[in-house]
Amino acid sequence: MPNRIERLDLLISERRIRARIAALARGIDADYHGRSLSLVVVLKGAYVFAADLTRQLGTPFTTDFISASSYGAGTRSSGKVALGGTGGLQLDGRHVLVVEDILDSGRTSAAILDLLRRRGPASLALCALLRKPAAGGLDLAADYVGFDIGHDFVVGYGMDYAERHRNLRGVYRLIPGGAAG
Ligand code: PRP
């Protein structure tokens, strides 16, 4: 079925993403000095970022996946964060690094960090590929950020609009159908 007409403008190319992830991985390796990490990857959006980041890491790590959803099929957060898959996480005494694709309002990551903090990790840090300005409004310390971006809704590199565009290799601004000039 044909999609509504929408515009996609390239914001961050595959090449820039690759270079930035390599730098993030070097920073993480330097900070953890070979201590083992527990990565907690936030589905669905972060799966592409996590795949590329982990293949650049020298630090030994284990990987767990949790799910978080607040956007449904729209471009605005519903404000409610639904978390899943957190029940079996064993993080006591572990160095935990949460891997997120984007900090938009920051509410998802704040909810995740709150929950994981109660699991008794030795340390807890956050790595996000993208950060929007609104995330600065929350008291949310992101330890590793790939790119600070503007307010636009973005897709690609794991991120979707109504489940589409996750497979794009770069990050794109999405202007939904009807709003494009
Ligand atoms: C997106 C994104 C982050 C979150 C960021 O997830 O992957 O997890 O929203 O928004 P926030 O900072 O305003 O909370 P989404 O709810 O779209 O689910 P998905 O990753 O499964 O597509």
Side-chain angles (χ1 to χ4, degrees):
M1 193 171 77
N3 296 321
R4 288 183 323 195
I5 296 168
E6 60 195 19
R7 205 173 74 216
L8 294 174
D9 294 338
L10 181 65
L11 185 63
I12 310 172
S13 68
E14 180 183 13
R15 187 172 166 171
R16 284 182 65 206
I17 293 170
R18 196 181 315 123
R20 187 70 189 114
I21 289 177
L24 285 174
R26 283 196 299 273
I28 293 167
D29 286 343
D31 291 348
Y32 286 88
H33 301 296
R35 280 175 300 197
S36 182
L37 267 174
S38 286
L39 300 180
V40 176
V41 179
V42 185
L43 297 174
K44 299 175 190 171
Y47 78 99
V48 177
F49 176 40
D52 284 348
L53 179 69
T54 54
R55 286 179 293 177
Q56 297 282 342
L57 279 181
T59 305
F61 64 88
T62 60
T63 315
D64 286 291
F65 296 90
I66 64 173
S67 65
S69 186
S70 63
Y71 282 77
T75 59
R76 295 244 171 108
S77 172
S78 67
K80 281 191 199 156
V81 181
L83 299 182
T86 60
L89 287 178
Q90 300 285 336
L91 302 176
D92 192 30
R94 303 279 303 163
H95 295 286
V96 177
L97 180 62
V98 176
V99 180
E100 257 287 23
D101 48 337
I102 184 165
L103 307 178
D104 189 335
S105 68
R107 276 193 222 104
T108 301
S109 293
I112 291 167
L113 292 175
D114 275 353
L115 185 140
L116 299 186
R117 204 169 282 122
R118 286 183 247 130
R119 301 291 171 89
S123 67
L124 182 58
L126 174 62
C127 176
L129 180 69
L130 305 176
R131 178 170 59 191
K132 284 191 181 185
L138 281 185
D139 186 16
L140 179 66
D143 304 85
Y144 306 95
V145 174
F147 300 92
D148 278 299
I149 63 171
H151 295 282
D152 304 291
F153 190 83
V154 293
V155 297
Y157 202 73
M159 289 167 284
D160 74 308
Y161 175 53
E163 293 301 325
R164 291 183 291 119
H165 305 308
R166 293 193 197 273
N167 58 331
L168 296 174
R169 290 168 180 266
V171 172
Y172 291 76
R173 272 191 213 103
L174 181 140
I175 295 99

